[in-house]
Amino acid sequence: MNSRRGRAAGLWPIGRHLVVVVLIGLGVFAAATVLLWLALGLPSAPGPDTRLNVIKIALSVVAGVGGVVALVVAYRKQRIGEAAEAREHVKVLNERFATACAQIGHEKPAVRLAGVYAIASLADEWTEQRQVCIDVLCAYLRMPYEPTLDSPWYHDEETEVRFSITSVISDHLRPGAPVSWQGHEFNFLRAVLRSADFADIEVSGGRLLFSLARFRRGWVSFDGMRVSGGEVWFGGAEFADGTRVTFDNAEFGGGRVQFEGAAFTGGEVTFRGAKFTGGEVDLSQVGPGDYTTPPVFDPWETPPPGLLLPGA
């Protein structure tokens, strides 16, 4: 059992470890004896004092080896204990993950909401599996969903769950977040987004993928968004009737924002007050038939550098 625990902790078997320590100790003793013998001028018949000194050195070396052996045993116990504690911690995290996933798949919206916040809390603690937790939240948004468009305020229970997911993600991408999720991938491929608040988020690395997403009736805000690195993709996204998607006062200072194949055929998409100071915001690959309701920009004589419009 101890051997298996030692191997799990990345340690040699205890027997091998002790043999190596004892051999090293004996080697040190032999070297010390030879050096002492040389220092005494290689006496052929050592006197009583010399023999006594040699015995003292031998006893000191034996005591030292014993002390080292005790340290090795204590060190192994500590390492094995730490490894067992780490395994137990990972086990608890896995159990929490399984429970949160079961909640987020529950039929009752209130339980699903609890699962959303449980997954987010776990992502904050579990750095090694943070991307997996993020993937679970994004995967929920990618599940087929048709909002009840005639509900009051264009809002229903499922929309609230989805809004909570986007809010949790946004909170971790804003400046000053207690735990930042910057640099990760957020895959909203084919997601149906009706109400989401991405205002004031920062993108300095990683990727936000809204490719083929459908923005349905409601308001999705990217107001004050700052992109200084990474990638944001809206390739093939659909901005349809009744949609309001705003990038007002956003700042694009780096990275790449791509709208290749997106469809601006209804609703309102605005970039009022947006600053294009670097990077690339590319709408050049939007087809003429998909640009019947163009985004609204501030007036200018020529487009700012980095903003590529259809036909440019």
Side-chain angles (χ1 to χ4, degrees):
M1 179 66 71
N2 288 333
S3 297
R4 289 197 297 270
R5 290 177 179 175
R7 286 194 294 272
L11 300 172
W12 286 349
I14 183 65
R16 184 193 303 176
H17 211 153
L18 292 177
V19 168
V20 170
V21 171
V22 171
L23 290 176
I24 291 174
L26 293 176
V28 172
F29 169 67
T33 302
V34 171
L35 291 174
L36 178 62
W37 209 261
L38 292 173
L40 295 175
L42 300 175
S44 56
D49 292 340
T50 301
R51 289 196 295 270
L52 180 60
N53 288 332
V54 171
I55 292 172
K56 288 181 179 179
I57 292 173
L59 292 176
S60 298
V61 171
V62 170
V65 170
V68 172
V69 168
L71 288 175
V72 168
V73 172
Y75 168 74
R76 288 178 60 87
K77 286 183 178 179
Q78 180 179 350
R79 284 289 303 276
I80 291 172
E82 290 174 350
E85 184 178 350
R87 289 195 302 273
E88 184 62 27
H89 182 59
V90 171
K91 179 182 177 181
V92 171
L93 292 175
N94 278 308
E95 291 173 350
R96 287 175 57 189
F97 180 77
T99 300
C101 287
Q103 288 178 314
I104 206 170
H106 200 275
E107 61 180 9
K108 294 184 178 180
V111 179
R112 295 201 296 275
L113 281 171
V116 168
Y117 292 108
I119 286 284
S121 175
L122 189 59
D124 288 345
E125 297 179 37
W126 202 359
T127 306
E128 297 81 3
Q129 296 297 328
R130 179 171 295 161
Q131 182 63 59
V132 175
C133 296
I134 291 172
D135 290 342
V136 171
L137 295 175
C138 293
Y140 187 94
L141 294 178
R142 297 197 304 271
M143 294 174 63
Y145 166 59
E146 289 298 332
T148 307
L149 298 179
D150 59 352
S151 60
W153 299 97
Y154 299 126
H155 200 74
D156 54 25
E157 292 177 336
E158 179 60 16
T159 301
E160 178 61 31
V161 175
R162 291 168 178 263
F163 181 80
S164 297
I165 292 176
T166 57
S167 296
V168 162
I169 291 172
S170 298
D171 288 343
H172 287 84
L173 293 178
R174 292 190 176 107
V179 179
S180 176
W181 291 357
Q182 287 289 342
H184 288 277
E185 179 172 293
F186 301 86
N187 187 354
F188 305 108
L189 178 70
R190 297 188 180 88
V192 175
L193 297 173
R194 182 179 185 183
S195 177
D197 182 11
F198 293 102
D200 298 319
I201 67 170
E202 287 189 352
V203 182
S204 59
R207 298 198 300 172
L208 271 69
L209 306 177
F210 294 93
S211 301
L212 302 176
R214 290 186 296 156
F215 295 87
R216 304 298 298 273
R217 291 183 183 179
W219 180 20
V220 178
S221 172
F222 293 92
D223 294 345
M225 174 184 186
R226 286 178 288 278
V227 182
S228 59
E231 299 176 331
V232 184
W233 290 86
F234 290 92
E238 177 186 340
F239 302 92
D241 289 339
T243 295
R244 185 184 179 201
V245 181
T246 58
F247 296 85
D248 297 345
N249 300 309
E251 182 174 349
F252 304 96
R256 188 180 185 194
V257 182
Q258 175 64 257
F259 288 87
E260 180 179 2
F264 298 90
T265 57
E268 179 184 11
V269 180
T270 63
F271 287 81
R272 296 186 180 94
K275 298 178 181 178
F276 302 89
T277 59
E280 181 178 281
V281 179
D282 189 359
L283 293 85
S284 63
Q285 300 302 312
V286 178
D290 291 326
Y291 205 61
T292 56
T293 308
V296 177
F297 296 92
D298 289 340
W300 55 57
E301 293 184 2
T302 58
L307 175 61
L308 305 178
L309 297 175

